[in-house]
Amino acid sequence: MNPEQRDYLNHRMVRAAESLEVARLAFENNHLQDAVNRMYFACFYMVSALL
């Protein structure tokens, strides 16, 4: 893995973690549609990191 790939992977993993945190906050505040949206993007970021 070259440095650019490693940076991309790290960036996507950070974005996934941030999205999960926002999803948790939205869920705790009963914003279920927003929580689902953020969980979707967390999955998207992690899958794009793996690809």
Side-chain angles (χ1 to χ4, degrees), residues 1 12 15 17 22 25 28-29 34 39-40 46 48 51:
M1 180 181 302
R12 288 300 186 173
R15 293 290 308 263
V22 173
L25 293 171
E28 288 175 353
N29 289 290
D34 292 330
M39 287 187 285
Y40 169 85
M46 190 54 75
S48 67
L51 294 175

Side-chain angles (χ1 to χ4, degrees), residues 18-44:
E18 290 172 351
S19 290
L20 281 176
E21 176 62 17
V22 173
R24 184 185 64 78
L25 293 171
F27 181 76
E28 288 175 353
N29 289 290
N30 207 31
H31 297 284
L32 302 180
Q33 188 172 4
D34 292 330
V36 169
N37 179 275
R38 291 293 92 202
M39 287 187 285
Y40 169 85
F41 276 100
C43 293
F44 171 80

